[in-house]
Amino acid sequence: MTPSITSQSLRLSSSFSIAALQPHTFSKIPLPKSHLRVSRQAPLFKPISAVQSNVLLPDASKTATFQPSNAPNLLAVNTEAMEVDRATEAELKNGSRSKRRTKIVCTIGPRTCGFDELEALAVGGMNVARINMCHGTHEWHRKVIEHVRRLNDERGFAIAIMMDTQGSEIHMGDLGGATSSKAEDGEIWTFTVRSFGSNCPERTISVNYDGFAEDIKVGDELLVDGGMVRFVVTEKIGPDVICCCTDPGLLLPRANLTFWRNGSLVQEHNAMLPTISSKDWLDIDYGIAEGVDFIAVSFVKSAEVIKHLKSYIASRSPASNIAVIAKIESIDSLKNLNEIILASDGAMVARGDLGAQLLESMIEYPIPTRAEVADVSEVVRQQADALMLSGESAMGQFPDKALAVLRSVSLRIEKWCREGKQHATFEPPPISSSVSAGIPGEICNGAAKIANKLKASALFVYTKTGQMASLLSCSRPDCPIFAFTPTSSVRRRLNLQWGLVPFCLNFSDDMESNLNQTFSLLKARGLIKSGDLIIVVSDMLQSIQVINVP
């Protein structure tokens, strides 16, 4: 399953889609539809030409000079003062404008949990490693987290960690310890509320919902993982439900179960189940203690769940930067979608549970179908923040090839959009009223428009909290966004958002000094060159600077 991640600030897609991460501290008031406003300390502006009289640049007489006599010698620059993801740096050296904007999340499972396998995914373009709490023990997940952190520390990556809760929907058990089981057409299987541990009878599956046998009826259809395997209920015997397989497929431990009656989803049982179960709270405590970067909440039905979790995280770890992602994967979520998105830091569209997959065939085959490629292409064209691999990378036969498909499709579609000048008639989307107030949002929208108009090589943003970088990502500029932050956790969190290239860099409140330092370090690493046009914004100054690299 390949979701996508998305919110009005962050968008994700996989056999699910991702939305944009929302900045964390700006008040949630409507964004004024006024012209670009700058502070009184901003440099004076003048038109650069009659043709482009609507584009403003700083007056050279009022702008700082970025070549002081004591400028650092590039030959003596300590490039280790700036950290950037190793795989991202390799992409940037092919040209910053050709850098992939859409991020990729990989679910880690038995196929990819080793250090070498994780490194292969990192080299291949993985930005975020997802651990699914439906599977594995805390000890198993801890080893994965340790491997990811070792990759970051020793191999120069900036991979973030996303912990995905199981949720309290109806799930299968652990299959008696087996990693998977194949259900064939016509086979008879028993679903039961009894627990067998490791001595589970053949073709018997335990179910976590005590009222399962009471709620389901003979003739109902039982769907595993949204329809990957399908059964028809033929008989009920006490706590056991006897079913015949009608659509064969692979059964995975703790897979989601739904049942349908007369063509409609039976939902009554869901109303009595909490969104965050007792197991989920234990997993959340574990994730907070391990310092994960994101917590994705399954089967979110209301905004109150997200608000409650955020307040809990703040009370348990006040200094934490953990972002909360709402998973949209049921009809219940759609009823309160706007409120859920406003409350969350991002939204994950769990497409598999809503009836559509992205690269499901690549669990067993080395190449995708044409329909899958078309589906991924459309998600990229719609500028989702990220694409996510689920079973393809967790237990599929070809995790590296599935990752390569997402990477290559993203690059091709993004290039097509740029070369076809798709943004020529594209107005940067208004930053959501939940994301920003007044000046910061207008500055970021204005900077994105200037960057597109002038075909800038990159946008620079200096941010201590990640807020301004998130706002720029929302505006979806045509050039990449170099986000400089002194905090490693902020850097990792920004690695999920569209178009952001996060750097870890200590900087001061003196923008002239920051720019001189940044230009020297980037030139020394071959990431920019003299003459490149850069648009600069920051948390510290409410202004836009337009600069040619000296």
Side-chain angles (χ1 to χ4, degrees):
M1 181 164 112
T2 308
S4 65
I5 300 174
T6 298
S7 98
Q8 297 186 13
S9 168
L10 168 69
R11 299 166 227 168
L12 277 184
S13 203
S14 96
S15 305
F16 97 125
S17 293
I18 295 181
L21 276 179
Q22 309 229 24
H24 285 260
T25 62
F26 288 130
S27 57
K28 298 182 178 180
I29 63 177
L31 184 67
K33 298 180 180 178
S34 60
H35 57 282
L36 174 65
R37 293 174 286 167
V38 297
S39 69
R40 293 180 181 178
Q41 289 74 31
L44 300 180
F45 286 82
K46 66 179 183 181
I48 61 171
S49 72
V51 176
Q52 297 176 321
S53 60
N54 62 322
V55 180
L56 301 179
L57 293 177
D59 188 327
S61 65
K62 302 293 182 180
T63 306
T65 301
F66 296 99
Q67 289 181 296
S69 58
N70 62 346
N73 182 346
L74 293 184
L75 296 178
V77 169
N78 177 17
T79 57
E80 294 183 359
M82 173 185 290
E83 298 178 16
V84 63
D85 183 90
R86 171 181 152 194
T88 299
E89 182 174 11
E91 284 190 59
L92 288 172
K93 288 184 177 179
N94 293 326
S96 62
R97 292 184 69 87
S98 63
K99 166 76 176 68
R100 172 172 52 88
R101 314 296 201 270
T102 308
K103 304 303 178 67
I104 298 176
V105 181
C106 295
T107 301
I108 308 306
R111 281 280 177 183
T112 48
C113 61
F115 182 82
D116 292 340
E117 290 77 12
L118 284 166
E119 184 173 20
L121 293 178
V123 171
M126 174 178 67
N127 302 107
V128 179
R130 171 179 175 253
I131 55 174
N132 187 354
M133 305 311 288
C134 288
H135 312 287
T137 64
H138 285 179
E139 283 302 316
W140 187 91
H141 291 300
R142 184 172 289 113
K143 290 181 181 179
V144 172
I145 292 172
E146 289 172 354
H147 287 332
V148 171
R149 288 180 175 155
R150 181 183 162 199
L151 280 173
N152 291 345
D153 294 340
E154 298 180 7
R155 305 297 172 89
F157 295 101
I159 300 166
I161 297 172
M162 177 184 293
M163 189 193 81
D164 199 328
T165 65
Q166 174 177 297
S168 56
E169 296 291 312
I170 298 177
H171 291 274
M172 292 169 27
D174 286 326
L175 300 180
T179 57
S180 64
S181 184
K182 188 69 178 290
E184 300 290 354
D185 188 29
E187 285 184 346
I188 302 300
W189 286 71
T190 299
F191 292 80
T192 181
V193 298
R194 292 182 290 172
S195 178
F196 296 99
S198 59
N199 299 316
C200 186
E202 186 179 6
R203 296 180 188 169
T204 300
I205 296 174
S206 61
V207 178
N208 70 334
Y209 175 47
D210 290 339
F212 179 73
E214 297 175 14
D215 287 355
I216 203 165
K217 296 181 179 180
V218 173
D220 286 352
E221 286 189 303
L222 184 63
L223 274 62
V224 180
D225 270 345
M228 301 313 300
V229 187
R230 188 182 301 256
F231 296 88
V232 171
V233 178
T234 59
E235 187 179 5
K236 295 198 318 183
I237 306 175
D240 301 336
V241 176
I242 314 303
C243 302
C244 177
C245 179
T246 55
D247 283 341
L250 197 64
L251 299 170
L252 301 178
R254 301 188 187 180
N256 172 250
L257 293 175
T258 57
F259 50 92
W260 294 64
R261 185 173 300 146
N262 300 322
S264 298
L265 177 67
V266 179
Q267 295 181 276
E268 288 79 6
H269 61 276
N270 290 339
M272 302 302 295
L273 297 174
T275 299
I276 302 178
S277 67
S278 57
K279 177 188 183 304
D280 292 337
W281 284 116
L282 292 175
D283 291 339
I284 288 167
D285 285 340
Y286 166 81
I288 293 172
E290 290 294 328
V292 300
D293 301 292
F294 303 93
I295 293 178
V297 185
S298 298
F299 300 102
V300 175
K301 301 170 188 174
S302 72
E304 292 306 313
V305 173
I306 300 298
K307 294 175 183 177
H308 181 48
L309 177 56
K310 282 188 168 186
S311 65
Y312 180 76
I313 293 172
S315 67
R316 293 296 303 269
S317 182
S320 171
N321 283 316
I322 297 175
V324 177
I325 306 295
K327 293 181 66 179
I328 310 301
E329 50 189 331
S330 70
I331 295 175
D332 292 333
S333 300
L334 301 181
K335 296 175 183 177
N336 302 304
L337 184 59
N338 289 341
E339 293 82 3
I340 291 171
I341 289 177
L342 293 179
S344 66
D345 297 310
M348 178 189 293
V349 182
R351 296 160 45 89
D353 295 292
L354 294 174
Q357 306 280 7
L358 282 190
L359 295 181
E360 188 70 25
S361 71
M362 293 196 73
I363 291 178
E364 298 186 54
Y365 301 100
I367 58 173
T369 66
R370 291 184 179 90
E372 289 171 338
V373 172
D375 207 9
V376 173
S377 300
E378 179 60 17
V379 172
V380 175
R381 191 191 69 81
Q382 292 186 25
Q383 299 182 320
D385 284 82
L387 300 162
M388 192 178 89
L389 295 172
S390 293
E392 304 96 326
S393 59
M395 51 83 180
Q397 300 296 312
F398 309 97
D400 295 338
K401 291 184 178 180
L403 174 60
V405 168
L406 293 190
R407 185 182 67 246
S408 61
V409 171
S410 296
L411 285 169
R412 288 188 179 189
I413 297 303
E414 291 168 0
K415 182 179 179 182
W416 171 79
C417 289
R418 289 193 299 274
E419 291 183 350
K421 300 189 184 301
Q422 301 297 314
H423 69 274
T425 57
F426 171 73
E427 189 75 10
I431 295 177
S432 164
S433 59
S434 69
V435 174
S436 166
I439 293 176
E442 294 285 6
I443 286 175
C444 289
N445 271 335
K449 292 178 182 179
I450 292 173
N452 287 352
K453 186 73 173 180
L454 299 183
K455 295 182 173 58
S457 298
L459 273 154
F460 282 12
V461 54
Y462 295 85
T463 176
K464 295 180 180 179
T465 63
Q467 296 159 357
M468 288 290 280
S470 294
L471 292 172
L472 278 175
S473 175
C474 291
S475 296
R476 298 299 194 257
D478 194 36
C479 64
I481 304 164
F482 287 19
F484 304 99
T485 180
T487 309
S488 295
S489 60
V490 173
R491 174 194 176 203
R492 292 193 303 270
R493 181 163 52 81
L494 294 178
N495 210 17
L496 181 60
Q497 299 186 47
W498 187 96
L500 294 184
V501 183
F503 293 79
C504 197
L505 173 71
N506 288 318
F507 55 81
S508 67
D509 291 338
D510 182 349
M511 284 303 298
E512 179 179 345
S513 172
N514 293 336
L515 286 167
N516 280 317
Q517 176 193 27
T518 306
F519 288 156
S520 297
L521 290 168
L522 291 176
K523 289 172 71 175
R525 296 176 79 146
L527 301 182
I528 61 172
K529 62 183 183 300
S530 296
D532 284 350
L533 183 66
I534 306 296
I535 314 298
V536 184
V537 299
S538 75
D539 286 345
M540 298 162 287
L541 296 177
Q542 292 183 341
S543 65
I544 301 171
Q545 295 171 284
V546 183
I547 303 167
N548 285 106
V549 177

